[in-house]
Amino acid sequence: NAGVMQNPRHLVRRRGQEARLRCSPMKGHSHVYWYRQLPEEGLKFMVYLQKENIIDESGMPKERFSAEFPKEGPSILRIQQVVRGDSAAYFCASSPRTGTDGYTFGSGTRLTVV
Amino acid sequence: RKEVEQDPGPFNVPEGATVAFNCTYSNSASQSFFWYRQDCRKEPKLLMSVYSSGNEDGRFTAQLNRASQYISLLIRDSKLSDSATYLCVVALPAGNMLTFGGGTRLMVKP
């Protein structure tokens, strides 16, 4: 049973480009969460999604960031017009139900903006 | 004030030592408490949940004091492989969002 799969593992983008980060939850998990970890800091919640629905996006920056979890395929975190301050590790987690039981993190995507 | 506060360390200890980490949280409505471990440049992994009655898992003991909003982790007989960053994590009732502390870095030396 594969865990939470994130790709790419590393992503380099120039300032102004778009970054797309993908997350496939564990089999049987229908809840997906995205977190961001800036260098030397803890993880910060960004968004919580279920299939085709954004449940809580209270941690998402107001501009340039969006997330989706379509009926088919992985969840996507999209960052438009990236800036150097977007350089961070982006972790996706999934769980089988509401609440914190069974929360499992993926290996993360390290975004570097040059 | 941060929602979850930890001493960032680093704690440098010799093998075999006992080391304790502390954490405070600001939201008194928090209901679930965890310690996660994060190795360098990797994802956080659940070390143990923390219960009001305290709980132990091998060399690791976690305690929760709701009145003081304080959580602790004790590691006995430290191993080199315990070197990592330890993250204190809380969640609200029926919540889906985890709130992480900044982490405490532990380095166990031979």
Side-chain angles (χ1 to χ4, degrees):
Chain A
N1 186 12
V4 178
M5 304 300 291
Q6 288 189 249
N7 66 81
R9 290 293 301 274
H10 301 274
L11 182 61
V12 180
R13 284 287 178 266
R14 287 198 170 87
R15 280 177 293 170
Q17 290 185 319
E18 179 179 286
R20 279 184 180 242
L21 288 62
R22 287 176 290 279
C23 169
S24 296
M26 282 184 72
K27 189 175 180 180
H29 287 196
S30 58
H31 303 250
V32 166
Y33 316 85
W34 285 93
Y35 287 78
R36 177 166 67 173
Q37 187 172 31
L38 294 170
E40 307 301 323
E41 293 190 15
L43 279 77
K44 296 286 192 289
F45 169 79
M46 299 181 76
V47 62
Y48 162 39
L49 310 104
Q50 295 180 25
K51 284 285 187 184
E52 300 184 277
N53 284 303
I54 295 174
I55 308 301
D56 182 349
E57 56 181 347
S58 57
M60 286 280 269
K62 294 286 185 278
E63 297 177 348
R64 302 188 298 108
F65 285 71
S66 62
E68 62 176 4
F69 188 15
K71 189 176 179 182
E72 301 291 337
S75 176
I76 306 285
L77 179 67
R78 183 182 177 205
I79 311 172
Q80 295 178 288
Q81 299 174 323
V82 296
V83 300
R84 288 230 170 99
D86 297 332
S87 296
Y90 292 82
F91 290 100
C92 171
S94 71
S95 68
R97 64 188 71 83
T98 299
T100 53
D101 282 349
Y103 229 88
T104 304
F105 281 88
S107 315
T109 293
R110 297 199 172 270
L111 172 65
T112 302
V113 180
V114 297
Chain B
R1 183 185 173 187
K2 290 182 180 177
E3 290 186 72
V4 181
E5 295 216 51
Q6 296 181 250
D7 180 345
F11 285 58
N12 294 297
V13 303
E15 270 188 291
T18 295
V19 61
F21 305 139
N22 304 318
C23 161
T24 56
Y25 60 95
S26 61
N27 191 335
S28 59
S30 298
Q31 192 69 25
S32 302
F33 308 91
F34 311 92
W35 283 101
Y36 274 72
R37 171 191 169 130
Q38 186 175 29
D39 292 284
C40 188
R41 304 183 73 80
K42 296 201 172 171
E43 74 273 24
K45 292 186 177 176
L46 179 65
L47 180 65
M48 58 198 304
S49 300
V50 188
Y51 306 112
S52 296
S53 53
N55 49 301
E56 187 174 310
D57 183 2
R59 299 182 292 109
F60 299 83
T61 302
Q63 297 275 356
L64 167 65
N65 184 323
R66 286 186 186 271
S68 303
Q69 294 180 204
Y70 172 96
I71 306 162
S72 66
L73 176 69
L74 183 77
I75 306 175
R76 290 181 297 278
D77 189 23
S78 300
K79 311 290 184 194
L80 295 176
S81 58
D82 293 335
S83 298
T85 297
Y86 290 83
L87 304 168
C88 178
V89 183
V90 305
L92 292 172
N96 299 281
M97 179 182 81
L98 298 180
T99 301
F100 284 80
T104 298
R105 191 170 170 208
L106 171 66
M107 297 182 69
V108 181
K109 302 285 174 85

Short mmCIF file of all heavy atoms in Angstrom, two decimals, chain B residues 52-84:
data_model
loop_
_atom_site.label_atom_id
_atom_site.label_comp_id
_atom_site.label_asym_id
_atom_site.label_seq_id
_atom_site.Cartn_x
_atom_site.Cartn_y
_atom_site.Cartn_z
N SER B 52 -3.81 12.77 28.60
CA SER B 52 -3.80 13.45 29.90
C SER B 52 -3.19 12.58 30.99
O SER B 52 -2.56 13.09 31.92
CB SER B 52 -5.23 13.83 30.30
OG SER B 52 -5.76 14.77 29.41
N SER B 53 -3.34 11.29 30.86
CA SER B 53 -2.83 10.38 31.88
C SER B 53 -1.34 10.11 31.71
O SER B 53 -0.72 9.43 32.51
CB SER B 53 -3.59 9.06 31.81
OG SER B 53 -3.55 8.55 30.49
N GLY B 54 -0.78 10.67 30.64
CA GLY B 54 0.63 10.40 30.34
C GLY B 54 0.75 9.05 29.66
O GLY B 54 -0.06 8.16 29.88
N ASN B 55 1.71 8.93 28.80
CA ASN B 55 1.91 7.65 28.13
C ASN B 55 3.37 7.43 27.80
O ASN B 55 4.14 8.37 27.67
CB ASN B 55 1.02 7.53 26.87
CG ASN B 55 1.08 8.72 25.96
OD1 ASN B 55 0.76 9.84 26.35
ND2 ASN B 55 1.50 8.50 24.72
N GLU B 56 3.69 6.15 27.71
CA GLU B 56 5.08 5.74 27.53
C GLU B 56 5.16 4.77 26.37
O GLU B 56 4.28 3.92 26.16
CB GLU B 56 5.55 5.05 28.83
CG GLU B 56 7.02 4.72 28.87
CD GLU B 56 7.43 4.18 30.24
OE1 GLU B 56 7.09 4.82 31.25
OE2 GLU B 56 8.06 3.11 30.28
N ASP B 57 6.23 4.92 25.60
CA ASP B 57 6.48 4.00 24.48
C ASP B 57 7.97 3.71 24.47
O ASP B 57 8.75 4.50 23.93
CB ASP B 57 6.02 4.62 23.17
CG ASP B 57 6.20 3.68 21.99
OD1 ASP B 57 6.64 2.53 22.20
OD2 ASP B 57 5.87 4.08 20.86
N GLY B 58 8.36 2.63 25.12
CA GLY B 58 9.77 2.30 25.19
C GLY B 58 10.54 3.36 25.97
O GLY B 58 10.23 3.66 27.12
N ARG B 59 11.51 3.98 25.30
CA ARG B 59 12.33 4.99 25.97
C ARG B 59 11.69 6.37 26.00
O ARG B 59 12.26 7.32 26.53
CB ARG B 59 13.69 5.07 25.25
CG ARG B 59 14.49 3.78 25.27
CD ARG B 59 15.83 3.93 24.57
NE ARG B 59 15.68 4.14 23.13
CZ ARG B 59 15.91 5.28 22.50
NH1 ARG B 59 16.31 6.35 23.18
NH2 ARG B 59 15.76 5.37 21.19
N PHE B 60 10.53 6.50 25.41
CA PHE B 60 9.87 7.79 25.25
C PHE B 60 8.66 7.89 26.17
O PHE B 60 7.83 6.99 26.21
CB PHE B 60 9.41 7.98 23.80
CG PHE B 60 10.54 7.97 22.80
CD1 PHE B 60 11.05 6.79 22.31
CD2 PHE B 60 11.09 9.17 22.36
CE1 PHE B 60 12.11 6.78 21.41
CE2 PHE B 60 12.14 9.18 21.45
CZ PHE B 60 12.65 7.97 20.98
N THR B 61 8.59 9.01 26.90
CA THR B 61 7.44 9.28 27.78
C THR B 61 6.90 10.66 27.49
O THR B 61 7.66 11.63 27.44
CB THR B 61 7.85 9.19 29.26
OG1 THR B 61 8.39 7.91 29.54
CG2 THR B 61 6.65 9.46 30.16
N ALA B 62 5.60 10.75 27.28
CA ALA B 62 4.96 12.04 27.01
C ALA B 62 3.98 12.37 28.12
O ALA B 62 3.32 11.48 28.67
CB ALA B 62 4.23 11.99 25.67
N GLN B 63 3.94 13.65 28.48
CA GLN B 63 3.04 14.11 29.53
C GLN B 63 2.28 15.33 29.03
O GLN B 63 2.82 16.13 28.26
CB GLN B 63 3.82 14.51 30.79
CG GLN B 63 4.59 13.41 31.45
CD GLN B 63 3.75 12.59 32.40
OE1 GLN B 63 2.58 12.90 32.62
NE2 GLN B 63 4.32 11.55 32.96
N LEU B 64 1.04 15.46 29.52
CA LEU B 64 0.21 16.61 29.18
C LEU B 64 -0.32 17.23 30.46
O LEU B 64 -0.84 16.52 31.31
CB LEU B 64 -0.95 16.16 28.29
CG LEU B 64 -2.11 17.14 28.07
CD1 LEU B 64 -1.64 18.37 27.31
CD2 LEU B 64 -3.26 16.45 27.35
N ASN B 65 -0.20 18.52 30.58
CA ASN B 65 -0.78 19.26 31.71
C ASN B 65 -1.75 20.28 31.12
O ASN B 65 -1.34 21.34 30.64
CB ASN B 65 0.31 19.95 32.52
CG ASN B 65 -0.23 20.65 33.74
OD1 ASN B 65 -1.32 21.23 33.72
ND2 ASN B 65 0.52 20.61 34.83
N ARG B 66 -3.03 19.95 31.14
CA ARG B 66 -4.03 20.83 30.51
C ARG B 66 -4.15 22.16 31.24
O ARG B 66 -4.36 23.20 30.64
CB ARG B 66 -5.39 20.15 30.46
CG ARG B 66 -5.50 19.06 29.43
CD ARG B 66 -6.92 18.54 29.36
NE ARG B 66 -7.06 17.39 28.49
CZ ARG B 66 -7.31 17.49 27.18
NH1 ARG B 66 -7.44 18.67 26.61
NH2 ARG B 66 -7.42 16.40 26.46
N ALA B 67 -4.03 22.11 32.57
CA ALA B 67 -4.20 23.34 33.35
C ALA B 67 -3.13 24.37 32.97
O ALA B 67 -3.40 25.57 32.86
CB ALA B 67 -4.14 23.03 34.84
N SER B 68 -1.91 23.88 32.76
CA SER B 68 -0.81 24.78 32.41
C SER B 68 -0.62 24.89 30.91
O SER B 68 0.24 25.65 30.46
CB SER B 68 0.49 24.28 33.05
OG SER B 68 0.36 24.18 34.44
N GLN B 69 -1.37 24.09 30.14
CA GLN B 69 -1.25 24.08 28.67
C GLN B 69 0.19 23.78 28.29
O GLN B 69 0.83 24.54 27.52
CB GLN B 69 -1.78 25.40 28.09
CG GLN B 69 -3.27 25.54 28.33
CD GLN B 69 -3.89 26.81 27.79
OE1 GLN B 69 -4.92 27.24 28.26
NE2 GLN B 69 -3.28 27.42 26.81
N TYR B 70 0.66 22.68 28.78
CA TYR B 70 2.08 22.33 28.71
C TYR B 70 2.19 20.84 28.35
O TYR B 70 1.46 20.01 28.87
CB TYR B 70 2.65 22.60 30.10
CG TYR B 70 4.03 22.16 30.39
CD1 TYR B 70 5.10 23.05 30.27
CD2 TYR B 70 4.28 20.88 30.86
CE1 TYR B 70 6.38 22.67 30.59
CE2 TYR B 70 5.57 20.49 31.18
CZ TYR B 70 6.62 21.38 31.05
OH TYR B 70 7.88 21.00 31.37
N ILE B 71 3.10 20.55 27.42
CA ILE B 71 3.32 19.18 26.97
C ILE B 71 4.81 18.90 27.08
O ILE B 71 5.64 19.78 26.81
CB ILE B 71 2.89 19.02 25.50
CG1 ILE B 71 1.44 19.48 25.28
CG2 ILE B 71 3.04 17.58 25.04
CD1 ILE B 71 1.12 19.75 23.83
N SER B 72 5.16 17.68 27.46
CA SER B 72 6.58 17.35 27.56
C SER B 72 6.86 16.01 26.89
O SER B 72 5.97 15.18 26.70
CB SER B 72 7.00 17.30 29.03
OG SER B 72 6.35 16.24 29.69
N LEU B 73 8.12 15.86 26.52
CA LEU B 73 8.60 14.59 25.97
C LEU B 73 9.92 14.28 26.66
O LEU B 73 10.83 15.12 26.68
CB LEU B 73 8.81 14.70 24.46
CG LEU B 73 9.40 13.45 23.79
CD1 LEU B 73 8.40 12.30 23.81
CD2 LEU B 73 9.80 13.76 22.34
N LEU B 74 10.03 13.08 27.20
CA LEU B 74 11.24 12.64 27.87
C LEU B 74 11.83 11.48 27.07
O LEU B 74 11.11 10.52 26.74
CB LEU B 74 10.93 12.19 29.30
CG LEU B 74 12.12 11.75 30.16
CD1 LEU B 74 12.85 12.99 30.65
CD2 LEU B 74 11.65 10.93 31.35
N ILE B 75 13.10 11.57 26.76
CA ILE B 75 13.79 10.48 26.07
C ILE B 75 14.87 9.96 26.99
O ILE B 75 15.78 10.70 27.40
CB ILE B 75 14.41 10.96 24.74
CG1 ILE B 75 13.37 11.63 23.85
CG2 ILE B 75 15.07 9.79 24.02
CD1 ILE B 75 13.95 12.23 22.57
N ARG B 76 14.78 8.69 27.32
CA ARG B 76 15.78 8.06 28.18
C ARG B 76 16.79 7.31 27.32
O ARG B 76 16.48 6.86 26.21
CB ARG B 76 15.11 7.09 29.16
CG ARG B 76 14.27 7.75 30.23
CD ARG B 76 13.68 6.67 31.17
NE ARG B 76 12.78 5.79 30.43
CZ ARG B 76 11.53 6.08 30.15
NH1 ARG B 76 11.01 7.23 30.54
NH2 ARG B 76 10.77 5.23 29.48
N ASP B 77 18.00 7.14 27.87
CA ASP B 77 19.03 6.34 27.20
C ASP B 77 19.16 6.73 25.72
O ASP B 77 18.98 5.90 24.81
CB ASP B 77 18.68 4.84 27.34
CG ASP B 77 19.78 3.93 26.87
OD1 ASP B 77 20.96 4.37 26.84
OD2 ASP B 77 19.49 2.78 26.50
N SER B 78 19.46 7.98 25.48
CA SER B 78 19.50 8.52 24.11
C SER B 78 20.42 7.70 23.21
O SER B 78 21.50 7.27 23.62
CB SER B 78 20.01 9.96 24.13
OG SER B 78 19.16 10.77 24.89
N LYS B 79 19.96 7.51 21.97
CA LYS B 79 20.75 6.82 20.94
C LYS B 79 21.16 7.84 19.87
O LYS B 79 20.50 8.86 19.69
CB LYS B 79 19.91 5.72 20.27
CG LYS B 79 19.18 4.79 21.21
CD LYS B 79 20.12 3.88 21.93
CE LYS B 79 19.35 2.88 22.79
NZ LYS B 79 20.23 2.20 23.75
N LEU B 80 22.21 7.50 19.15
CA LEU B 80 22.63 8.37 18.05
C LEU B 80 21.48 8.58 17.07
O LEU B 80 21.29 9.67 16.52
CB LEU B 80 23.82 7.77 17.31
CG LEU B 80 25.12 7.65 18.09
CD1 LEU B 80 26.18 6.93 17.27
CD2 LEU B 80 25.63 9.02 18.53
N SER B 81 20.68 7.53 16.87
CA SER B 81 19.57 7.60 15.92
C SER B 81 18.41 8.47 16.39
O SER B 81 17.48 8.72 15.62
CB SER B 81 19.05 6.18 15.65
OG SER B 81 18.65 5.57 16.86
N ASP B 82 18.47 8.93 17.64
CA ASP B 82 17.43 9.85 18.11
C ASP B 82 17.67 11.28 17.62
O ASP B 82 16.81 12.14 17.78
CB ASP B 82 17.39 9.86 19.65
CG ASP B 82 16.92 8.55 20.25
OD1 ASP B 82 16.20 7.80 19.56
OD2 ASP B 82 17.30 8.27 21.41
N SER B 83 18.84 11.53 17.05
CA SER B 83 19.15 12.87 16.54
C SER B 83 18.14 13.26 15.46
O SER B 83 18.01 12.57 14.45
CB SER B 83 20.57 12.92 15.96
OG SER B 83 21.52 12.65 16.97
N ALA B 84 17.42 14.34 15.71
CA ALA B 84 16.35 14.77 14.81
C ALA B 84 15.75 16.04 15.38
O ALA B 84 16.19 16.52 16.43
CB ALA B 84 15.26 13.70 14.70
#
